[in-house]
Amino acid sequence: MAEIIKVEQLKKSFGTLEILKGISFSVLQGEVLSIIGPSGSGKSTILRCISQLEDVTDGTIEICGKKLVENGKYADKKSRRKIMLQSGLVFQNFNLFPHYNVLKNVMEPQIRVLKKSKDEAEKTALELLQRIGLKEKINNYPCELSGGQQQRVSIARALAMKPEVLLFDEPTSALDPELTGEILEVIKELAENKMTMVVVTHEMAFARDISTHVIFMDGGVIVEEGTPEKVINNPSQERTKAFLSRFTTV
């Protein structure tokens, strides 16, 4: 299988505060990597570095065989833009355009970034909204939707860009517990369809069920990694055991 993401010795500092201390991992096509760990461990920062929302301090990030950054030095702007299209980030707080209805939220990035025609963008948007069960909401605005519905729209918007990998930054953290299930079901369906994904999550049972690989982070380093069976069900490191002991549903 092709290597979709390759990260080597990734470092990120904010001033004197070192957030990532030399992180290395890879994700193969069709794999689902879940990154777990306490708040402040650097989980979301990894996704923000991959999606170019944060500049790295040092290290290498390769996406679909193209080097975004190598030993802390970025590719040229044109190459960075092309590489950016290979990954789609789904935020925890939805980040929908409040002044656009559901249909236009999914259409607009296709038109502006992919230069699709309006008809082509609309066809793709309608297909995806049908798939996630929101076709009847195409004329509604984000403020008229539940949190779970808004997150489903944001997933459809990311999928419409046809990325090679989807990045989820705690996709259920802004939702009421009763709405969490509908988002987890959408992500499970994507996993079943072999969508390559990296998921930062605090849902341990979910991470165990959908992942092919799990990383446990703490203090800016990878403490333990492996299969869900190894890391979540049978952790070997005391720090991992202590963290997972707080989750009674695992």
Side-chain angles (χ1 to χ4, degrees):
M1 288 186 289
E3 203 168 45
I4 301 298
I5 293 178
K6 185 177 182 181
V7 173
E8 294 180 312
Q9 292 301 308
L10 179 62
K11 296 180 180 179
K12 174 62 181 178
S13 297
F14 294 100
T16 58
L17 181 62
E18 196 174 20
I19 304 298
L20 300 175
K21 303 176 182 179
I23 300 292
S24 299
F25 65 88
S26 62
V27 184
L28 300 180
Q29 187 173 22
E31 285 190 330
V32 180
L33 168 66
S34 286
I35 305 178
I36 63 173
S39 297
S41 59
K43 308 184 300 299
S44 295
T45 302
I46 291 176
L47 297 192
R48 293 180 68 84
C49 289
I50 293 172
S51 58
Q52 303 186 52
L53 293 177
E54 296 284 359
D55 287 339
V56 309
T57 302
D58 200 3
T60 299
I61 299 175
E62 194 173 301
I63 301 176
C64 297
K66 306 292 184 183
K67 283 188 169 60
L68 169 65
V69 55
E70 185 173 18
N71 298 324
K73 298 187 182 299
Y74 277 90
D76 60 82
K77 286 186 177 181
K78 185 177 179 181
S79 297
R80 287 178 69 171
R81 282 197 295 269
K82 286 184 178 179
I83 293 169
M84 182 177 68
L85 294 176
Q86 300 300 312
S87 65
L89 178 61
V90 178
F91 297 89
Q92 54 185 289
N93 292 315
F94 323 134
N95 280 35
L96 298 176
F97 303 117
H99 55 295
Y100 289 164
N101 64 22
V102 166
L103 182 61
K104 195 168 182 181
N105 258 286
V106 182
M107 286 176 58
E108 197 67 14
Q110 300 179 67
I111 295 169
R112 291 193 181 189
V113 180
L114 299 183
K115 308 303 181 186
K116 283 188 176 183
S117 69
K118 184 178 178 182
D119 287 346
E120 189 180 7
E122 183 174 335
K123 181 175 183 290
T124 297
L126 289 172
E127 287 173 353
L128 287 167
L129 291 167
Q130 173 76 41
R131 179 178 170 186
I132 64 170
L134 284 180
K135 195 170 182 180
E136 76 284 359
K137 298 287 188 181
I138 61 172
N139 294 315
N140 289 85
Y141 287 81
C143 64
E144 300 173 315
L145 305 178
S146 70
Q149 290 169 335
Q150 290 184 60
Q151 190 62 292
R152 280 190 278 161
V153 174
S154 69
I155 292 171
R157 183 178 62 182
L159 287 169
M161 305 301 285
K162 300 197 180 305
E164 288 295 323
V165 57
L166 273 184
L167 312 173
F168 290 89
D169 184 11
E170 299 197 7
T172 62
S173 67
L175 302 178
D176 293 332
E178 61 192 32
L179 298 175
T180 294
E182 64 184 82
I183 300 306
L184 300 186
E185 283 303 317
V186 171
I187 299 174
K188 280 183 181 179
E189 184 198 337
L190 293 172
E192 289 166 2
N193 288 316
K194 300 301 181 183
M195 181 77 203
T196 309
M197 293 183 283
V198 180
V199 185
V200 168
T201 183
H202 59 275
E203 300 281 348
M204 294 303 112
F206 170 68
R208 179 192 59 200
D209 293 345
I210 69 153
S211 306
T212 51
H213 196 79
V214 175
I215 284 174
F216 170 67
M217 288 186 63
D218 190 30
V221 301
I222 294 174
V223 176
E224 189 165 359
E225 64 178 309
T227 63
E229 172 67 24
K230 175 182 179 293
V231 176
I232 297 179
N233 288 357
N234 298 287
S236 61
Q237 300 299 311
E238 289 304 318
R239 181 65 188 95
T240 316
K241 292 177 183 178
F243 174 76
L244 290 171
S245 69
R246 300 183 294 123
F247 297 91
T248 57
T249 56
V250 175

